[in-house]
Amino acid sequence: MGATHLPSTEFDETAADDQLEAEAEAQLGSPAEPMVQLLAPDGTLGTDPVFSAYAEKLDGEKLRGFYADMAKIRRFDVEATALQRQGQLALWVPLTGQEAAQIGSGRASQPQDYIFPTYREHGVALTRNVDLAELLRQFRGVSNGGWNPKDTNFHLYTLVLAAQTPHAVGYAMGIQRDQKAAAAVAADGAQDRPAEPKAAVMVYFGDGASSEGDVHESMVFAASYNAPVVFFCQNNHWAISVPSSVQTRIPLSNRAKGYGFPGIRVDGNDAIAVHAVTEWALEHAREGKGPVLIEAFTYRVGAHTTADDPTKYRESAEETLWRAKDPLDRLEKYLRAQGLADDAFFDQVKADGDELAAYVRKTTYDLETPDIRTAFANTYVEAHPLVAEELAWFEEYSAGFAETPEHNSAEPGSPDPDDAATGVAR
Amino acid sequence: MTTMTIAKAINEGLRATLDNNPRTLLMGEDIGALGGVYRVTDGLLAEFGADRVVDTPLAESGIIGTAIGLALRGYLPVCEIQFDGFVFPGFNQITTQLAKMHARSNGNLTVPVVVRIPYGGGIGSIEHHSESPEALFAHTAGLRIITPSNAHDAYWMIRQAVECQDPVIVFEPKRRYWLKGEVDTQNPGASADPFKAHVLREGTDATVVAYGPLVPVALAAADAAAEDGHSIEVIDLRSISPIDFDTVTASAKKTGRLVVAHEAPTFGGIGGEIAARISERAFLSLEAPVIRVGGFHMPYPVAKVEEDYLPDIDRILEALDRALAY
């Protein structure tokens, strides 16, 4: 597998870390492990013995699509951040810097695949045709989800770190069983319809979440049952204020070897390489060859969330270093150099982004506050006496505040408003 | 009608479920060739194969978490947690994911996962093998919790739990696994609703509410009280979430005195919820405060002293004496 070395910020240049690094190197090779990269920061396209074949399938239209998606989601990110600053959202989780990791991987999935995101995968959501305004419901405080995963096979965001990883493996185990059952039916000759396309599951998590036990358990389960699942780790280098060197002493992709399945580190700011690697991994999973771990080596340029202040824990020089590897800039250079896109295209992309931002802003303002009765209705699927009892109390209690004509009337002889409330509110 | 132990009744209930619904599957550590440490799944691997009776890695969060994923794909997983005290690595998945997925999705998704947990003490075992953590789960909305005290209920409750569209935790009283009783596998009879309490014994002077492993103790206490001339009503709660407060309220209004008994520590337990609720519902009918009988506020003690910890006939009789003295 070909590889290009990029500077690594995984190990700080302190004495203690030097020792750590030396130990890691002695045991496991260089911390700057081989990494798949096709599109360099200067916009030149390299080659890889395995993955160039996948890159070659990408025509100009698809590459322009990657750029348009990345630009659109960055514009969306800016808009959502602004909405948070204006008090319209309780919180926002920015993705700037991670566009290539998300668009490249998301565009490699197929409609029958099922995606489990964490809470920063706005770009992946775009590739799955989730209405981006729906994403903001959660951050606006009008829903704990906001979209129906059945419509797009894009699951709800999960805020408990890594909790979605075993869900992904279980879902993949379900796919295995469904395909086995379908194969048995087909073997009996009882099935007239064309076979369902083979599916896989992709689950996203970050370098911080990689320390959670659920990631370990998920990878054990995935390996044990050879589940068709792709673990997609976006190593953005910071778990809020804690650097990835505290999460791991080796490249995260190396962990896959311990579980017995392939692990690939890819330049997460290279949309072409991310797409190629992910397409390979999903094919691998769909074909029954088992799980794959992809580590997309990228960088969270902004804060963890709008509640965070990165200036308190990292140097601006680091950010500058990574801005030089910007995923949009390098694809733009490539598209221009190859004559695949011109000013008119980039102007149109910008206009589309502004249009999306305006739509998102308006939709956010228009989001209606839900009635708490929907929470009563959705706590359980089946009837539940305690919920029914508490809802009945709430209805009666609420009715006590209802304005009545008597309340509004100052006519002599009207019933005493206090009497109207008596026996209702308690 | 067939006579069988509670363990065998659950085994038969699982067999019927696996037979009836191809989307059902069992998951847990040692549930395959071994048949579970209590042999509750004995023989099911040979009958249904490794895709339906899944010996999992030793990882409770992994078991519950993958079960959630399978349920999202349309399967009906039944997870076995080996012992009560080992459920906590899976507690996060149960309380933050399993319980909330339906609400989080605005009703679009269902996760009908069943979690079986052998619970309670009295088996002379070592640490973490004798706990009663039901209140920790009952406090979480989105979960349903039931517990059988006899073989007939055990057979039907596991079947009903799998059919329920909500997540259900079945707490199985492990020290009663070998308690025999008659099971009608054709007709649930009074057990048709798993969330309804049963009045097992009619009485007029006081009511004892118990569930799971303490139901036989409560019945024995009522027998002993009868020898002293007291007529004690005994209720098997059966469902811990939701609680059938209507049945308990009716009994409390009838007898005027209520004792709630469970193995779990009294403080913060299910008994406190029942006491509070009945005080609200039947205050003017009560002749005495609701009295709780339960474990002490300590980690489950070592086996050599567990007899002093577990509520027994005498502890329930002492509580009844206090209630009747008002």
Side-chain angles (χ1 to χ4, degrees), chain B residues 77-98:
Chain B
V78 181
C79 306
E80 177 175 302
I81 299 296
Q82 211 154 67
F83 283 95
D84 35 56
F86 301 148
V87 71
F88 296 105
F91 189 77
N92 171 42
Q93 284 290 340
I94 294 174
T95 54
T96 74
Q97 304 300 310
L98 184 60

PDB file of all heavy atoms in Angstrom, chain B residues 77-98:
ATOM      1  N   PRO B  77     -34.042  -9.245  19.969  1.00  0.00           N
ATOM      2  CA  PRO B  77     -33.007  -9.893  20.774  1.00  0.00           C
ATOM      3  C   PRO B  77     -33.426 -10.062  22.244  1.00  0.00           C
ATOM      4  O   PRO B  77     -34.054  -9.177  22.822  1.00  0.00           O
ATOM      5  CB  PRO B  77     -31.813  -8.931  20.681  1.00  0.00           C
ATOM      6  CG  PRO B  77     -32.230  -7.835  19.736  1.00  0.00           C
ATOM      7  CD  PRO B  77     -33.721  -7.848  19.687  1.00  0.00           C
ATOM      8  N   VAL B  78     -33.060 -11.186  22.793  1.00  0.00           N
ATOM      9  CA  VAL B  78     -33.244 -11.445  24.224  1.00  0.00           C
ATOM     10  C   VAL B  78     -31.850 -11.644  24.815  1.00  0.00           C
ATOM     11  O   VAL B  78     -31.173 -12.618  24.509  1.00  0.00           O
ATOM     12  CB  VAL B  78     -34.104 -12.705  24.481  1.00  0.00           C
ATOM     13  CG1 VAL B  78     -34.291 -12.914  25.977  1.00  0.00           C
ATOM     14  CG2 VAL B  78     -35.442 -12.594  23.770  1.00  0.00           C
ATOM     15  N   CYS B  79     -31.424 -10.707  25.638  1.00  0.00           N
ATOM     16  CA  CYS B  79     -30.063 -10.755  26.193  1.00  0.00           C
ATOM     17  C   CYS B  79     -30.084 -11.390  27.573  1.00  0.00           C
ATOM     18  O   CYS B  79     -30.978 -11.116  28.372  1.00  0.00           O
ATOM     19  CB  CYS B  79     -29.505  -9.343  26.352  1.00  0.00           C
ATOM     20  SG  CYS B  79     -29.551  -8.369  24.858  1.00  0.00           S
ATOM     21  N   GLU B  80     -29.085 -12.196  27.840  1.00  0.00           N
ATOM     22  CA  GLU B  80     -28.924 -12.701  29.196  1.00  0.00           C
ATOM     23  C   GLU B  80     -27.709 -12.030  29.829  1.00  0.00           C
ATOM     24  O   GLU B  80     -26.610 -12.062  29.268  1.00  0.00           O
ATOM     25  CB  GLU B  80     -28.725 -14.220  29.216  1.00  0.00           C
ATOM     26  CG  GLU B  80     -28.476 -14.760  30.618  1.00  0.00           C
ATOM     27  CD  GLU B  80     -28.383 -16.279  30.692  1.00  0.00           C
ATOM     28  OE1 GLU B  80     -29.351 -16.949  30.289  1.00  0.00           O
ATOM     29  OE2 GLU B  80     -27.342 -16.796  31.145  1.00  0.00           O
ATOM     30  N   ILE B  81     -27.935 -11.406  30.977  1.00  0.00           N
ATOM     31  CA  ILE B  81     -26.821 -10.910  31.791  1.00  0.00           C
ATOM     32  C   ILE B  81     -26.583 -11.985  32.847  1.00  0.00           C
ATOM     33  O   ILE B  81     -27.519 -12.428  33.504  1.00  0.00           O
ATOM     34  CB  ILE B  81     -27.174  -9.562  32.454  1.00  0.00           C
ATOM     35  CG1 ILE B  81     -27.467  -8.498  31.385  1.00  0.00           C
ATOM     36  CG2 ILE B  81     -26.044  -9.104  33.370  1.00  0.00           C
ATOM     37  CD1 ILE B  81     -26.316  -8.125  30.477  1.00  0.00           C
ATOM     38  N   GLN B  82     -25.327 -12.381  33.012  1.00  0.00           N
ATOM     39  CA  GLN B  82     -25.099 -13.582  33.813  1.00  0.00           C
ATOM     40  C   GLN B  82     -25.525 -13.413  35.274  1.00  0.00           C
ATOM     41  O   GLN B  82     -26.146 -14.298  35.844  1.00  0.00           O
ATOM     42  CB  GLN B  82     -23.626 -13.952  33.730  1.00  0.00           C
ATOM     43  CG  GLN B  82     -23.399 -15.426  33.848  1.00  0.00           C
ATOM     44  CD  GLN B  82     -22.112 -15.837  33.162  1.00  0.00           C
ATOM     45  OE1 GLN B  82     -21.031 -15.465  33.599  1.00  0.00           O
ATOM     46  NE2 GLN B  82     -22.216 -16.593  32.096  1.00  0.00           N
ATOM     47  N   PHE B  83     -25.180 -12.278  35.859  1.00  0.00           N
ATOM     48  CA  PHE B  83     -25.579 -12.008  37.242  1.00  0.00           C
ATOM     49  C   PHE B  83     -25.910 -10.532  37.392  1.00  0.00           C
ATOM     50  O   PHE B  83     -25.341  -9.683  36.702  1.00  0.00           O
ATOM     51  CB  PHE B  83     -24.447 -12.371  38.218  1.00  0.00           C
ATOM     52  CG  PHE B  83     -24.305 -13.846  38.455  1.00  0.00           C
ATOM     53  CD1 PHE B  83     -23.401 -14.592  37.723  1.00  0.00           C
ATOM     54  CD2 PHE B  83     -25.096 -14.493  39.400  1.00  0.00           C
ATOM     55  CE1 PHE B  83     -23.278 -15.960  37.929  1.00  0.00           C
ATOM     56  CE2 PHE B  83     -24.970 -15.854  39.609  1.00  0.00           C
ATOM     57  CZ  PHE B  83     -24.056 -16.597  38.873  1.00  0.00           C
ATOM     58  N   ASP B  84     -26.812 -10.259  38.340  1.00  0.00           N
ATOM     59  CA  ASP B  84     -27.245  -8.897  38.634  1.00  0.00           C
ATOM     60  C   ASP B  84     -26.098  -7.892  38.750  1.00  0.00           C
ATOM     61  O   ASP B  84     -26.127  -6.824  38.171  1.00  0.00           O
ATOM     62  CB  ASP B  84     -28.060  -8.899  39.934  1.00  0.00           C
ATOM     63  CG  ASP B  84     -27.527  -9.931  40.931  1.00  0.00           C
ATOM     64  OD1 ASP B  84     -26.344  -9.880  41.276  1.00  0.00           O
ATOM     65  OD2 ASP B  84     -28.318 -10.799  41.349  1.00  0.00           O
ATOM     66  N   GLY B  85     -25.070  -8.259  39.514  1.00  0.00           N
ATOM     67  CA  GLY B  85     -23.988  -7.312  39.774  1.00  0.00           C
ATOM     68  C   GLY B  85     -23.107  -7.044  38.571  1.00  0.00           C
ATOM     69  O   GLY B  85     -22.261  -6.145  38.604  1.00  0.00           O
ATOM     70  N   PHE B  86     -23.313  -7.807  37.508  1.00  0.00           N
ATOM     71  CA  PHE B  86     -22.501  -7.611  36.301  1.00  0.00           C
ATOM     72  C   PHE B  86     -23.239  -6.819  35.226  1.00  0.00           C
ATOM     73  O   PHE B  86     -22.751  -6.679  34.104  1.00  0.00           O
ATOM     74  CB  PHE B  86     -22.060  -8.955  35.719  1.00  0.00           C
ATOM     75  CG  PHE B  86     -21.259  -9.784  36.680  1.00  0.00           C
ATOM     76  CD1 PHE B  86     -21.330 -11.171  36.649  1.00  0.00           C
ATOM     77  CD2 PHE B  86     -20.430  -9.194  37.618  1.00  0.00           C
ATOM     78  CE1 PHE B  86     -20.595 -11.943  37.546  1.00  0.00           C
ATOM     79  CE2 PHE B  86     -19.690  -9.952  38.516  1.00  0.00           C
ATOM     80  CZ  PHE B  86     -19.771 -11.334  38.481  1.00  0.00           C
ATOM     81  N   VAL B  87     -24.422  -6.310  35.568  1.00  0.00           N
ATOM     82  CA  VAL B  87     -25.175  -5.569  34.556  1.00  0.00           C
ATOM     83  C   VAL B  87     -24.607  -4.155  34.377  1.00  0.00           C
ATOM     84  O   VAL B  87     -24.843  -3.509  33.349  1.00  0.00           O
ATOM     85  CB  VAL B  87     -26.677  -5.497  34.915  1.00  0.00           C
ATOM     86  CG1 VAL B  87     -26.916  -4.570  36.108  1.00  0.00           C
ATOM     87  CG2 VAL B  87     -27.497  -5.048  33.716  1.00  0.00           C
ATOM     88  N   PHE B  88     -23.823  -3.702  35.339  1.00  0.00           N
ATOM     89  CA  PHE B  88     -23.439  -2.289  35.301  1.00  0.00           C
ATOM     90  C   PHE B  88     -22.561  -1.876  34.127  1.00  0.00           C
ATOM     91  O   PHE B  88     -22.676  -0.749  33.649  1.00  0.00           O
ATOM     92  CB  PHE B  88     -22.870  -1.859  36.656  1.00  0.00           C
ATOM     93  CG  PHE B  88     -23.930  -1.957  37.711  1.00  0.00           C
ATOM     94  CD1 PHE B  88     -23.926  -2.987  38.635  1.00  0.00           C
ATOM     95  CD2 PHE B  88     -25.002  -1.090  37.702  1.00  0.00           C
ATOM     96  CE1 PHE B  88     -24.951  -3.115  39.564  1.00  0.00           C
ATOM     97  CE2 PHE B  88     -26.032  -1.213  38.622  1.00  0.00           C
ATOM     98  CZ  PHE B  88     -26.005  -2.223  39.554  1.00  0.00           C
ATOM     99  N   PRO B  89     -21.674  -2.714  33.627  1.00  0.00           N
ATOM    100  CA  PRO B  89     -21.007  -2.321  32.374  1.00  0.00           C
ATOM    101  C   PRO B  89     -21.999  -2.088  31.228  1.00  0.00           C
ATOM    102  O   PRO B  89     -21.689  -1.371  30.281  1.00  0.00           O
ATOM    103  CB  PRO B  89     -20.083  -3.502  32.074  1.00  0.00           C
ATOM    104  CG  PRO B  89     -19.825  -4.111  33.417  1.00  0.00           C
ATOM    105  CD  PRO B  89     -21.116  -3.944  34.175  1.00  0.00           C
ATOM    106  N   GLY B  90     -23.179  -2.672  31.326  1.00  0.00           N
ATOM    107  CA  GLY B  90     -24.214  -2.453  30.314  1.00  0.00           C
ATOM    108  C   GLY B  90     -25.227  -1.391  30.718  1.00  0.00           C
ATOM    109  O   GLY B  90     -26.157  -1.086  29.958  1.00  0.00           O
ATOM    110  N   PHE B  91     -25.062  -0.830  31.902  1.00  0.00           N
ATOM    111  CA  PHE B  91     -26.041   0.139  32.426  1.00  0.00           C
ATOM    112  C   PHE B  91     -26.152   1.364  31.518  1.00  0.00           C
ATOM    113  O   PHE B  91     -27.246   1.860  31.257  1.00  0.00           O
ATOM    114  CB  PHE B  91     -25.612   0.562  33.832  1.00  0.00           C
ATOM    115  CG  PHE B  91     -26.624   1.389  34.574  1.00  0.00           C
ATOM    116  CD1 PHE B  91     -27.740   0.794  35.137  1.00  0.00           C
ATOM    117  CD2 PHE B  91     -26.464   2.754  34.726  1.00  0.00           C
ATOM    118  CE1 PHE B  91     -28.670   1.547  35.839  1.00  0.00           C
ATOM    119  CE2 PHE B  91     -27.397   3.518  35.419  1.00  0.00           C
ATOM    120  CZ  PHE B  91     -28.503   2.911  35.973  1.00  0.00           C
ATOM    121  N   ASN B  92     -25.000   1.819  31.027  1.00  0.00           N
ATOM    122  CA  ASN B  92     -25.008   2.975  30.126  1.00  0.00           C
ATOM    123  C   ASN B  92     -25.869   2.695  28.895  1.00  0.00           C
ATOM    124  O   ASN B  92     -26.731   3.504  28.526  1.00  0.00           O
ATOM    125  CB  ASN B  92     -23.575   3.308  29.717  1.00  0.00           C
ATOM    126  CG  ASN B  92     -23.513   4.351  28.615  1.00  0.00           C
ATOM    127  OD1 ASN B  92     -24.243   5.318  28.631  1.00  0.00           O
ATOM    128  ND2 ASN B  92     -22.646   4.135  27.647  1.00  0.00           N
ATOM    129  N   GLN B  93     -25.659   1.561  28.273  1.00  0.00           N
ATOM    130  CA  GLN B  93     -26.432   1.244  27.064  1.00  0.00           C
ATOM    131  C   GLN B  93     -27.921   1.112  27.386  1.00  0.00           C
ATOM    132  O   GLN B  93     -28.780   1.525  26.599  1.00  0.00           O
ATOM    133  CB  GLN B  93     -25.914  -0.055  26.421  1.00  0.00           C
ATOM    134  CG  GLN B  93     -24.603   0.116  25.654  1.00  0.00           C
ATOM    135  CD  GLN B  93     -24.768   0.917  24.362  1.00  0.00           C
ATOM    136  OE1 GLN B  93     -25.861   1.044  23.834  1.00  0.00           O
ATOM    137  NE2 GLN B  93     -23.672   1.476  23.858  1.00  0.00           N
ATOM    138  N   ILE B  94     -28.234   0.523  28.541  1.00  0.00           N
ATOM    139  CA  ILE B  94     -29.650   0.321  28.888  1.00  0.00           C
ATOM    140  C   ILE B  94     -30.335   1.653  29.184  1.00  0.00           C
ATOM    141  O   ILE B  94     -31.440   1.919  28.702  1.00  0.00           O
ATOM    142  CB  ILE B  94     -29.775  -0.630  30.098  1.00  0.00           C
ATOM    143  CG1 ILE B  94     -29.300  -2.042  29.722  1.00  0.00           C
ATOM    144  CG2 ILE B  94     -31.221  -0.680  30.599  1.00  0.00           C
ATOM    145  CD1 ILE B  94     -29.242  -3.010  30.895  1.00  0.00           C
ATOM    146  N   THR B  95     -29.677   2.494  29.969  1.00  0.00           N
ATOM    147  CA  THR B  95     -30.371   3.706  30.429  1.00  0.00           C
ATOM    148  C   THR B  95     -30.246   4.895  29.469  1.00  0.00           C
ATOM    149  O   THR B  95     -31.182   5.683  29.355  1.00  0.00           O
ATOM    150  CB  THR B  95     -29.853   4.135  31.819  1.00  0.00           C
ATOM    151  OG1 THR B  95     -28.437   4.274  31.770  1.00  0.00           O
ATOM    152  CG2 THR B  95     -30.223   3.103  32.867  1.00  0.00           C
ATOM    153  N   THR B  96     -29.098   5.023  28.787  1.00  0.00           N
ATOM    154  CA  THR B  96     -28.961   6.189  27.901  1.00  0.00           C
ATOM    155  C   THR B  96     -29.361   5.893  26.463  1.00  0.00           C
ATOM    156  O   THR B  96     -29.637   6.810  25.707  1.00  0.00           O
ATOM    157  CB  THR B  96     -27.517   6.761  27.886  1.00  0.00           C
ATOM    158  OG1 THR B  96     -26.659   5.898  27.133  1.00  0.00           O
ATOM    159  CG2 THR B  96     -26.967   6.933  29.291  1.00  0.00           C
ATOM    160  N   GLN B  97     -29.373   4.629  26.078  1.00  0.00           N
ATOM    161  CA  GLN B  97     -29.673   4.303  24.680  1.00  0.00           C
ATOM    162  C   GLN B  97     -30.974   3.512  24.545  1.00  0.00           C
ATOM    163  O   GLN B  97     -31.917   3.947  23.883  1.00  0.00           O
ATOM    164  CB  GLN B  97     -28.508   3.516  24.059  1.00  0.00           C
ATOM    165  CG  GLN B  97     -27.173   4.239  24.163  1.00  0.00           C
ATOM    166  CD  GLN B  97     -27.174   5.593  23.476  1.00  0.00           C
ATOM    167  OE1 GLN B  97     -27.567   5.730  22.330  1.00  0.00           O
ATOM    168  NE2 GLN B  97     -26.742   6.623  24.197  1.00  0.00           N
ATOM    169  N   LEU B  98     -31.007   2.344  25.161  1.00  0.00           N
ATOM    170  CA  LEU B  98     -32.180   1.469  25.011  1.00  0.00           C
ATOM    171  C   LEU B  98     -33.460   2.172  25.475  1.00  0.00           C
ATOM    172  O   LEU B  98     -34.477   2.150  24.781  1.00  0.00           O
ATOM    173  CB  LEU B  98     -31.942   0.176  25.812  1.00  0.00           C
ATOM    174  CG  LEU B  98     -33.002  -0.906  25.712  1.00  0.00           C
ATOM    175  CD1 LEU B  98     -33.185  -1.371  24.274  1.00  0.00           C
ATOM    176  CD2 LEU B  98     -32.637  -2.095  26.601  1.00  0.00           C
TER     177      LEU B  98
END
